[in-house]
Amino acid sequence: MNNRELYERTDIINEQLARYGVKFGLYKNNQFKEQLFPFDAIPRVIPKMEFEILEKGLIQRVDALNLFLKDIYGDKKIIRDKIVPEDFIYASSGYLPQCEHIVPPQGIYSHISGIDLVKGKNGEWYILEDNLRVPSGASYPMIARELCRRCSPNTFQQAQLEDNRNYADMLKETMDAVNTGGINVILTPGRYNAAYFEHSYLAEKTGAHLANGSELEVENDYLYFVDYSGKKEKVGAVYRRISDEYLDPMSFHPESVIGIPHIFDVYRKGHVALLNAPGNGIADDKGIYYFVPKMIRYYLDQEPVLHNAPTYLPFYEDDCRFVLENFDRLVLKDVAEAGGYGVVFADKMTKQEKAQFLEMMKREPRRFIAQEVIDFEDLDILENGSAIPRKADLRAFVLTGKGTRVWKSGLTRFSRNPDSFIVNSSQGGGFKDTWVLSR
């Protein structure tokens, strides 16, 4: 397909994105800075049949993770059957004992899952991470596609691709599916949050109220939205975009000023749905990632459709030995970090850095995973009028309400550094639209 018109208008699209405030925020040296998330007009194109395989594997994975969360905060059969070690669970910073024996509305824990994948040069897709707490990024391809359509309508009249404008409808249907009676709210920590644009954009598109903690209050075991005039409306579902520890100062971090006192009590009593459920961090702990293929076999009695990157746990003696013997060809990840932080490539380390890291790994084996470096696919980006290859991943969005569905789009992030595999926006990356072909 000829997309020249679209490519020639890349600068116009980026100017429009800046005008709409499509930015992300970073805290650095105790200062808040906003910067643009650069858009590249060359889309990632996924053929229909290829996406169908991705769709099947992503649904399978998220269904298994939801079953794991229900089990780990309930009967803990997966521990008793020795599929996952008990001490491995309880050592995770993502495990919240406050969530024990709480079953959320409709038994759904991860309503919005952001699953990060890369496509190897061998044509196979690999799962890199499962993001089940507050995954962000859907708004960027949504608004980029909208602006691309305006700038180059001819491109989209010719292209046979899935329409990605249904994400807001999917999100609203997900909130409605678990709503306990009342309005839908998107809870934001405020405009200084890195993803504030997304919070406001999704609220506008879904018709949900955008609220901060000061606009929500608990009364008689129910949650209410209080508008500027003092009018109260009962809240049935909260798509919360703040971390567990700041959600409720009475149950978690006592110094939180962005949460809502006693909201966790309302949730515990089943009077409000929280999307995603508190305690999900245990399932997107990078160490737990190692066990997801076993979960699929254990809970669903199926073989995984999509595979993890080859991963090793220094927690296990055999894996630790493998890591020590093959250190220079591995990438090491701190299980509690996110956003591209805590990722180190062994072959880029100095001799002293290697010695220090190995000492730390031996001292804290639960803290790290090691993975083989996947030579993943390069995608062309436009730079100074020429197409040049850069590493890129894909964040797929999987929504679970009345059923589990995969959005036929996604956030493709790319590295602007030719020598880097790190694509996160916080590390200077850019993004592309993701075209899923309809035939």
Side-chain angles (χ1 to χ4, degrees), residues 111-299:
H111 310 81
I112 302 100
S113 306
I115 311 297
D116 294 344
L117 311 96
V118 292
K119 186 177 182 180
K121 288 184 176 176
N122 61 359
E124 185 174 351
W125 287 88
Y126 297 91
I127 306 281
L128 282 189
E129 282 187 16
D130 306 292
N131 300 283
L132 309 184
R133 284 181 262 198
V134 282
S136 62
S139 63
Y140 300 116
M142 287 172 70
I143 193 167
R145 179 84 63 90
E146 184 179 329
L147 295 175
C148 287
R149 283 179 178 276
R150 290 184 204 168
C151 284
S152 181
N154 291 335
T155 298
F156 293 90
Q157 287 171 359
Q158 298 166 10
Q160 296 175 332
L161 68 150
E162 297 287 351
D163 192 336
N164 81 340
R165 290 175 289 188
N166 67 335
Y167 184 81
D169 291 334
M170 292 174 67
L171 181 56
K172 183 180 184 304
E173 288 164 10
T174 299
M175 288 190 281
D176 288 345
V178 294
N179 190 299
T180 60
I183 63 170
N184 291 325
V185 164
I186 294 180
L187 173 61
T188 178
R191 72 165 307 276
Y192 292 110
N193 181 263
Y196 181 72
F197 162 76
E198 175 155 293
H199 307 166
S200 57
Y201 186 76
L202 292 178
E204 175 191 341
K205 293 296 183 181
T206 60
H209 285 63
L210 181 67
N212 58 46
S214 66
E215 295 170 300
L216 297 171
E217 66 178 42
V218 171
E219 185 178 301
N220 297 325
D221 293 331
Y222 287 92
L223 184 67
Y224 293 89
F225 171 76
V226 186
D227 71 12
Y228 65 93
S229 69
K231 178 187 172 185
K232 293 183 179 181
E233 292 183 87
K234 186 169 170 258
V235 177
V238 177
Y239 179 19
R240 50 95 180 203
R241 299 300 298 258
I242 68 177
S243 300
D244 290 346
E245 60 266 34
Y246 300 112
L247 183 62
D248 183 344
M250 311 307 290
S251 296
F252 303 109
H253 198 309
E255 295 180 2
S256 172
V257 295
I258 59 174
I260 305 100
H262 300 294
I263 189 176
F264 192 70
D265 297 327
V266 179
Y267 167 69
R268 185 189 289 114
K269 291 176 180 178
H271 293 173
V272 72
L274 297 179
L275 297 77
N276 284 330
N280 275 14
I282 182 60
D284 70 10
D285 178 311
K286 290 182 178 67
I288 294 297
Y289 158 95
Y290 176 91
F291 297 97
V292 178
K294 297 178 187 237
M295 292 177 200
I296 292 170
R297 297 183 185 101
Y298 181 75
Y299 293 117

Side-chain angles (χ1 to χ4, degrees), residues 48-67:
K48 183 177 187 295
M49 291 183 66
E50 186 174 342
F51 190 81
E52 286 173 354
I53 295 170
L54 282 177
E55 189 174 37
K56 183 178 179 183
L58 290 165
I59 289 171
Q60 178 194 61
R61 191 173 183 96
V62 169
D63 283 348
L65 285 164
N66 263 304
L67 289 168

Side-chain angles (χ1 to χ4, degrees), residues 44 119-121 375-381 388-392 418 420-421 432:
R44 177 197 283 276
K119 186 177 182 180
K121 288 184 176 176
D375 188 13
F376 57 94
E377 188 178 57
D378 296 299
L379 296 180
D380 282 344
I381 68 167
I388 55 175
R390 289 290 184 269
K391 296 298 180 189
S420 177
F421 282 66
K432 295 173 170 287

